[in-house]
Amino acid sequence: MRSSIRDAAPSPIDSTLVAELTAHEKTRLDELRATHPVLTQLGARFDDAGHEIALVGGPVRDALLGRPVTDLDFTTSASPDEIEQIVKGWADTTWDVGRAFGTIGVRKGTETLEITTYRADEYDPQSRKPVVAFGTNLNDDLARRDFTVNAMAVRLPGLEFVDVHGGLDDLADRTLRTPIGPDVSFGDDPLRMMRAARFVGQLGFIAAPDVTEAMVSMADRIGIVSAERVRDELNKLLLSDHPVLGLRVLVDTGLAERVLPELPALQLERDEHHRHKDVYEHSLTVLEQAIALEHRLDQRPDLTIRLAALLHDIGKPRTRRFTGDGTVTFHHHDVVGAKLARKRMRALRYPNEITDDVAMLVELHLRFHGYGSGDWTDSAVRRYVRDAGDQLERLHILTRADSTTRNQRKALRLQRTYDELEQRITQLAAQEELQSIRPDLDGNRIMEVLDIGPGREVGEAYRFLLDLRMDRGPLPEDQAIEALRAWWAAR
């Protein structure tokens, strides 16, 4: 059993507190070094130059969890100028867009590295932007990290594991804690509250009680964070393995009220007869079912379908009406929801293309239900396909995911009906692709080239050219004319 170090006092760097690793954890760090030889190379260069360097944060956490490690983040005693000198001649490329924050970017082979001078930042209470202050040791740098599981480091080149805040214990407990008091940590950088929800969805962790309490009491502070940064964290959450877990954290702590108020608004009070679904729970279920159908898409995880699934019913609170017999209606919630989705996504600074796609999917998500009567003509099917455009496959997924009925017979009936619609779409598409193909020369041109009048021979020439087009694809006019004259001479 690992000895607990959570209550140990932070130690200065010259007596670094090193947690006891299991043999399995040691093996994972050895594997990390073996699969990323830049760790040994970089460690040796900094050591030769008389500077400390450590792999820190997410890469260490993911290596210990057995997750893939991609981007590598380092912290060092070297200044940005010194970093550049140390990697000169070794790195393939460097860039310094983060120099003001002490960061130098490095590309070595296929590896992307970020090397940052030790930091000991302070924050302006009215802004999440830090007043950049370089630190003098690794211990101070780790204290400014967001969560203890991201405040572990591996010093190079010796691969010495450093854990002054009990991150390894929290990793084993799958718990999110902050290296310093959560009220201080979130006060410094409110975006960390969004990040907590993201790690719940991404890693399957739970937030410690004091972290959750701080998120609840400080939710308003998220307002100082730019819309773009909120959007980026929301995207990372939505693209995680279990986004519903993180979304529940946003709603339960009140953060969603500030960043995505349409989501908690779905928690409509149930009418006394319980004649409509819990729209909030339904929407989360639709999101999960859409994710299960993402295998139909070329690229996954897919942000567009996940946003559309989450937002597809946000028009319901605005359109809910109670009828005289106590039933509930949500007429036109698809149209209203599309407008609300567009408005929220613009507020979060989403690109126009993804905003348009999500809004269209929300607006079309009910269209299929008119098909169940069985009276859709071929032209109606064509309009369905035309209106969906390049979002047709996502609309298929959203429509199927939107069926959350517990009535197994009804669910199977809906599935069969949609199977039938997709088959009709496929058949019509195949037919109309063939029907849309025309010869490279029309009848008038054929008569002009062959100097003949209307009659059976024009039809024969037309069919020859059509077969030619099917075999060889479209031809330039001069080649089509040459082929036509050769056929005419040989017939």
Side-chain angles (χ1 to χ4, degrees):
M1 181 176 177
R2 177 185 296 126
S3 58
S4 176
I5 61 175
R6 182 172 294 131
D7 298 328
S11 305
I13 194 64
D14 58 0
S15 59
T16 302
L17 181 58
V18 180
E20 180 184 348
L21 290 171
T22 66
H24 186 55
E25 289 162 344
K26 290 178 182 177
T27 298
R28 283 180 168 171
L29 291 184
D30 287 336
E31 290 173 349
L32 176 67
R33 178 165 55 181
T35 55
H36 297 274
V38 293
L39 298 181
T40 301
Q41 299 167 19
L42 198 63
R45 294 185 76 88
F46 276 76
D47 191 47
D48 290 344
H51 282 289
E52 301 168 352
I53 188 169
L55 183 71
V56 69
V60 178
R61 177 202 69 217
D62 288 342
L64 292 171
L65 287 173
R67 290 167 55 90
V69 174
T70 51
D71 295 343
L72 300 173
D73 296 325
F74 301 85
T75 186
T76 178
S77 60
S79 69
D81 288 343
E82 290 169 331
I83 294 170
E84 287 182 316
Q85 285 300 312
I86 293 171
V87 301
K88 187 176 181 180
W90 174 79
D92 297 330
T93 310
T94 63
W95 58 95
D96 64 353
V97 292
R99 179 182 291 274
F101 297 95
T103 300
I104 300 296
V106 174
R107 175 65 61 87
K108 176 66 174 178
T110 59
E111 301 274 25
T112 300
L113 325 174
E114 285 195 351
I115 308 173
T116 303
T117 305
Y118 289 151
R119 296 268 292 273
D121 301 335
E122 294 181 356
Y123 287 80
D124 179 345
Q126 303 306 314
S127 169
R128 69 170 298 271
K129 294 181 180 179
V131 178
V132 178
F134 295 140
T136 59
N137 60 71
L138 177 59
N139 205 22
D140 288 347
D141 185 273
L142 295 179
R144 58 172 286 275
R145 302 280 164 170
D146 52 5
F147 300 103
T148 59
V149 294
N150 295 329
M152 300 179 290
V154 175
R155 297 181 67 186
L156 304 174
L159 217 65
E160 179 187 19
F161 180 68
V162 181
D163 180 15
V164 296
H165 298 288
L168 196 59
D169 284 344
D170 290 334
L171 200 66
D173 294 340
R174 308 190 78 80
T175 300
L176 292 174
R177 299 181 190 274
T178 52
I180 56 179
D183 54 335
V184 178
S185 181
F186 298 156
D188 285 347
D189 186 357
L191 192 64
R192 289 171 176 167
M193 295 186 287
M194 291 283 296
R195 207 171 292 145
R198 189 239 298 183
F199 286 135
V200 168
Q202 196 173 63
L203 303 175
F205 285 17
I206 60 171
D210 62 335
V211 170
T212 300
E213 290 169 9
M215 291 170 70
V216 171
S217 64
M218 302 180 69
D220 281 341
R221 189 155 169 75
I222 197 70
I224 70 170
V225 181
S226 71
E228 291 84 357
R229 298 301 299 276
V230 168
R231 176 203 63 208
D232 290 346
E233 276 301 325
L234 181 61
N235 287 350
K236 291 174 184 177
L237 167 56
L238 287 171
L239 294 173
S240 67
D241 289 342
H242 303 287
V244 167
L245 297 177
L247 290 169
R248 290 190 188 280
V249 171
L250 291 183
V251 172
D252 293 345
T253 58
L255 279 166
E257 289 278 2
R258 281 80 178 175
V259 300
L260 191 64
E262 293 79 8
L263 182 58
L266 295 175
Q267 294 178 307
L268 301 173
E269 66 275 13
R270 299 288 294 271
D271 64 278
E272 60 180 4
H273 300 292
H274 299 274
R275 295 189 183 180
H276 70 269
K277 295 178 182 177
D278 182 321
V279 184
Y280 171 68
E281 291 296 335
H282 165 74
S283 297
L284 297 182
T285 300
V286 172
L287 173 57
E288 290 179 325
Q289 294 186 167
I291 292 171
L293 293 170
E294 280 185 336
H295 61 84
R296 297 175 55 134
L297 300 173
D298 293 333
Q299 184 174 350
R300 49 192 182 271
D302 186 83
L303 182 61
T304 300
I305 190 58
R306 294 188 182 201
L307 279 165
L310 183 65
L311 303 178
H312 78 284
D313 271 350
I314 60 173
K316 281 191 170 179
R318 293 276 186 93
T319 59
R320 186 173 62 155
R321 301 290 184 271
F322 292 95
T323 63
D325 62 359
T327 56
V328 183
T329 64
F330 302 98
H331 294 313
H332 307 302
H333 77 267
D334 46 348
V335 177
V336 172
K339 292 179 180 178
L340 291 174
R342 189 181 298 278
K343 181 178 180 182
R344 176 54 50 194
M345 291 181 69
R346 284 175 174 168
L348 289 172
R349 305 291 192 270
Y350 275 93
N352 290 336
E353 182 178 2
I354 190 172
T355 298
D356 291 343
D357 290 343
V358 170
M360 182 177 70
L361 288 167
V362 172
E363 186 167 355
L364 293 178
H365 82 273
L366 289 181
R367 182 77 67 86
F368 159 73
H369 295 284
Y371 182 77
S373 61
D375 58 358
W376 275 26
T377 61
D378 285 351
S379 62
V381 175
R382 291 190 196 100
R383 282 195 296 274
Y384 187 79
V385 173
R386 180 200 64 198
D387 291 348
D390 62 0
Q391 298 303 304
L392 181 61
E393 193 59 54
R394 289 191 178 104
L395 183 58
H396 289 334
I397 291 173
L398 178 59
T399 304
R400 289 180 178 277
D402 194 27
S403 174
T404 61
T405 178
R406 295 181 182 178
N407 184 322
Q408 195 65 23
R409 182 177 297 178
K410 181 179 179 181
L412 288 173
R413 184 172 68 252
L414 285 170
Q415 180 177 324
R416 285 195 299 268
T417 304
Y418 205 85
D419 287 344
E420 178 190 329
L421 174 58
E422 284 202 54
Q423 290 168 6
R424 284 188 66 187
I425 289 171
T426 301
Q427 292 166 357
L428 279 175
Q431 293 171 8
E432 294 183 7
E433 182 180 357
L434 292 174
Q435 292 168 3
S436 67
I437 294 177
R438 296 289 183 270
D440 296 298
L441 305 176
D442 63 17
N444 291 330
R445 193 76 176 99
I446 289 171
M447 289 188 289
E448 180 182 341
V449 169
L450 299 181
D451 193 22
I452 59 177
R456 179 179 55 82
E457 294 168 325
V458 176
E460 291 175 359
Y462 186 92
R463 285 189 291 275
F464 161 76
L465 288 173
L466 182 58
D467 289 340
L468 188 68
R469 172 72 181 273
M470 295 287 287
D471 290 339
R472 297 172 57 183
L475 296 174
E477 185 179 29
D478 60 340
Q479 292 183 27
I481 290 173
E482 180 181 353
L484 176 62
R485 285 174 173 162
W487 168 82
W488 182 255
R491 63 187 291 273

